[in-house]
Amino acid sequence: MHAPKLAAMRLITPEISWHETTPIYSCDIQQTLNTDSNGANGWYRLATGGRDNRVQLWKLPAAGDAVVEFLSSLRRHEKPVNVVRFSPDQRLLASGSDDATVLLWARQEVQPELPAPSAADEDDLVCKETWTVWRALRAHLEDVYDLGWMPDSMGLVSGSVDRSIVRWNLAKEQQRTIVREHAHFVQGIACDPLGRLVATQSSDRTVRVYGCSARAVVIAKCVRNTEQQQQQQQQSNNYRLFADDSWKSFFRRLSFSPDGKVLAAPAGLHWNDNYCVHLFGRAKLDKPFASLVTGQSAPVAVRFCQRRFALAYHPQLELGRRRIQQDLVKLPYRWVFAVVLESGVLLCDTQHPFPIGALRNLHYQALNDAAWSADGSQLVLASTDGYCSIVRFGEGELGQPFAEPEKENLDAPQTPLAPPPPPPPTPQSSTKPPQAPPATPPAAAVAASSAAAPAASPGDPLTPRGQKRRVPFVTLATSLDAASAGAGANSAPGTPTTAAPMTTSVAAAAAPSTVASTSAAGTPDNVDSPLRKKRRVSFFTISSCVGNGGGGG
């Protein structure tokens, strides 16, 4: 039986005027699926920023032909826009520019009627949406290179060429924290999805991790090398973990995984003089636990897909599994992320120590940024040549979605179980041994469970007034009487003897003081055992038995 054929990946580069053929420095996709007025077609909102000092908004279809439509043009920046990022609640759009300002945009719910374009504006597109500046943030002295949102959408972190990091508290307009600890340009910002850490990367060859407290304190400085890199450093004194300020790109956009357990930092140097992406674990942020080598292509950004995928299984690799590394990160699922190179894109995940896909020679000039759609089916790439490419993946091409384990809701009210139906009456057998006197306990242990309750005789001390009794999840037991236990030995030949089935219980082993021990002859060692009385043991069965024929054989 052949495996189902997967849809092939498609690469589309719409030939439209994204930013008047000027370089595109950043892109981001709003993680909300919108629908048309008729509710038929789903689409995402795509934002791009470029050298033309504008933020452009586009309509990106979720399925079908990738026909990108223009939505709006945001013109308030006075210099090139380096970064655009939607807030986690998808209500605001932040943009950073060379004019040292960060603008927060909000869309007007009620769109005004737009006038027809005049002859002077024939080349300008008609905006279908209206976005206004909700707040302008000014604290940097020079170009803003990267931004990062806190998960509550009320905090924003920005990095600038002036070597400063500013953490903005949007709940209070004037409250902000400024940190100047990097020795060179701050070119990358990543905020922890759990809201506890902020990671920054600079051209001073360091990655610093700050705690989100009242005071921004460095809790880790990622400058330590792996064991192989330490051996290489002993041979060469000028070895470093990251590239220096001779880096060709303006950006070093690092990223946290959506669960916050992995931090991926680009612009890394490997011990064999290749570029790489260093991966840091949350428990040990001062030293990478793995490095993904990219060769001579320099990685400038890492972007994680927000969708979790199930672990991949490769039967063809089982024979050589000892010759390759095990899972890169021990997780029950895997994250897929895109490593943006100058000349292409590598598709990697947290399971394999090697790329699972590669796209090369996509544009004439270097790539600067990437963005994933919410369902992980589309990847948008922004290039310096003034164009954006859209990579579409088929169903199951990146893997199967991770199935969330069902969690038991302990807070929900528990519905009591229905009692079991009464058992049919047991017919009296002609060969049944005579009943013992009422003052003497029965010869066999009487055990009742939730599954079935045996018929009781009028002389049974466990059932007053000779009525049947049904106790769910409760075990009733009595001890053996010395005189009745030996009844099997004194019975006439040919007379059958009855024996209760034997059940071994964890509760009986854990509480030996409450269980009467029986000798080989079937006589209990302790006649005054508590088992003579009624006993309630939840979810366990405690019973004794007499071998066939009793102690007399």
Side-chain angles (χ1 to χ4, degrees):
M1 184 177 181
H2 298 284
K5 186 177 180 181
L6 300 177
M9 176 180 60
R10 292 190 303 165
L11 176 66
I12 305 171
T13 304
E15 297 182 1
I16 59 177
S17 178
W18 294 87
H19 285 263
E20 298 180 354
T21 68
T22 60
I24 303 175
Y25 292 137
S26 182
C27 63
D28 196 28
I29 298 178
Q30 192 179 37
Q31 301 296 299
T32 301
L33 184 63
N34 306 285
T35 56
D36 295 333
S37 57
N38 55 5
N41 301 320
W43 54 276
Y44 295 102
R45 188 174 283 108
L46 171 66
T48 58
R51 188 181 288 180
D52 59 350
N53 309 345
R54 302 181 184 179
V55 176
Q56 305 280 66
L57 295 176
W58 311 87
K59 181 179 179 181
L60 179 65
D65 297 334
V67 180
V68 180
E69 299 181 11
F70 175 78
L71 289 179
S72 183
S73 180
L74 314 183
R75 310 180 185 184
R76 282 288 298 271
H77 285 291
E78 300 177 355
K79 290 185 178 181
V81 179
N82 296 320
V83 56
V84 289
R85 293 290 183 265
F86 283 102
S87 61
D89 60 4
Q90 314 303 322
R91 297 193 306 170
L92 298 176
L93 173 63
S95 59
S97 170
D98 284 351
D99 58 8
T101 60
V102 177
L103 298 182
L104 303 181
W105 305 83
R107 187 175 72 92
Q108 294 184 4
E109 297 296 335
V110 179
Q111 301 296 330
E113 295 183 1
L114 301 176
S118 60
D121 299 333
E122 290 181 356
D123 295 337
D124 294 342
L125 299 175
V126 177
C127 296
K128 301 177 182 179
E129 296 181 347
T130 301
W131 290 69
T132 58
V133 176
W134 177 65
R135 187 172 297 176
L137 308 178
R138 295 180 175 88
H140 291 289
L141 303 178
E142 300 201 21
D143 311 355
V144 177
Y145 269 3
D146 205 8
L147 298 171
W149 282 95
M150 300 301 292
D152 59 355
S153 298
M154 296 306 296
L156 183 68
V157 183
S158 57
S160 173
V161 175
D162 61 3
R163 309 176 186 180
S164 66
I165 302 164
V166 180
R167 191 181 67 182
W168 309 87
N169 187 354
L170 303 183
K172 299 180 180 179
E173 184 175 357
Q174 300 298 330
Q175 184 173 354
R176 60 178 181 261
T177 303
I178 302 178
V179 180
R180 291 184 174 91
E181 292 189 357
H182 281 289
H184 217 269
F185 304 157
V186 180
Q187 298 176 316
I189 299 290
C191 292
D192 175 24
L194 304 181
R196 301 175 182 175
L197 305 174
V198 174
T200 62
Q201 188 167 2
S202 170
S203 55
D204 61 0
R205 293 184 169 183
T206 61
V207 170
R208 297 173 184 263
V209 182
Y210 300 87
C212 295
S213 57
R215 294 179 57 190
V217 180
V218 178
I219 63 175
K221 188 175 179 181
C222 307
V223 294
R224 294 180 58 184
N225 300 328
T226 60
E227 295 179 359
Q228 292 177 336
Q229 293 165 347
Q230 288 176 357
Q231 296 176 1
Q232 184 76 5
Q233 188 175 7
Q234 294 177 359
Q235 302 176 4
S236 177
N237 295 329
N238 57 358
Y239 187 81
R240 291 293 186 272
L241 191 62
F242 296 98
D244 56 10
D245 54 0
S246 62
W247 185 252
K248 298 180 181 178
S249 176
F250 293 116
F251 312 108
R252 306 179 188 222
R253 287 168 169 156
L254 70 172
S255 178
F256 277 100
S257 61
D259 58 359
K261 295 183 179 180
V262 179
L263 173 63
L269 296 177
H270 202 251
W271 61 275
N272 57 358
D273 297 333
N274 286 325
Y275 291 109
C276 67
V277 174
H278 293 303
L279 301 180
F280 300 86
R282 188 181 186 89
K284 191 174 180 60
L285 290 168
D286 60 343
K287 182 178 180 180
F289 67 86
S291 299
L292 299 176
V293 182
T294 61
Q296 296 300 317
S297 298
V300 299
V302 178
R303 297 299 297 269
F304 276 86
C305 178
Q306 298 297 316
R307 189 177 188 182
R308 287 190 289 186
F309 294 92
L311 297 178
Y313 174 72
H314 304 285
Q316 64 273 17
L317 296 180
E318 287 302 311
L319 295 178
R321 196 166 183 81
R322 294 183 179 179
R323 297 191 297 269
I324 64 175
Q325 291 183 350
Q326 299 295 323
D327 295 349
L328 194 62
V329 182
K330 298 298 181 181
L331 295 173
Y333 46 82
R334 61 189 181 96
W335 295 110
V336 176
F337 56 94
V339 178
V340 181
L341 310 176
E342 289 183 339
S343 58
V345 176
L346 295 180
L347 299 177
C348 305
D349 63 4
T350 55
Q351 182 183 2
H352 302 90
F354 47 82
I356 60 175
L359 295 88
R360 300 281 187 179
N361 301 323
L362 304 179
H363 290 265
Y364 291 106
Q365 298 185 33
L367 299 177
N368 297 315
D369 202 0
W372 288 90
S373 61
D375 58 356
S377 63
Q378 299 187 77
L379 176 65
V380 178
L381 307 172
S383 173
T384 309
D385 60 7
Y387 289 93
C388 289
S389 293
I390 304 171
V391 183
R392 285 196 166 182
F393 302 96
E395 184 68 24
E397 191 169 6
L398 293 176
Q400 298 300 324
F402 176 71
E404 296 286 347
E406 296 183 359
K407 297 182 179 179
E408 183 180 1
N409 188 6
L410 300 179
D411 298 334
Q414 300 294 331
T415 303
L417 297 177
T426 304
Q428 299 292 335
S429 175
S430 58
T431 60
K432 184 176 181 180
Q435 293 286 341
T440 306
V446 181
S449 64
S450 61
S457 60
D460 193 340
L462 297 180
T463 54
R465 298 183 182 179
Q467 298 179 358
K468 298 179 182 179
R469 189 173 183 182
R470 187 170 65 250
V471 183
F473 298 111
V474 174
T475 299
L476 303 178
T478 59
S479 62
L480 299 177
D481 186 79
S484 61
N490 302 328
S491 60
T495 303
T497 59
T498 60
M502 183 175 181
T503 303
T504 303
S505 173
V506 177
S513 61
T514 60
V515 182
S517 60
T518 306
S519 62
T523 303
D525 297 337
N526 186 9
V527 179
D528 297 331
S529 171
L531 290 179
R532 182 177 296 278
K533 300 179 182 180
K534 296 181 182 180
R535 181 168 178 80
R536 182 182 184 91
V537 182
S538 302
F539 298 101
F540 295 99
T541 302
I542 301 178
S543 62
S544 303
C545 70
V546 180
N548 191 9

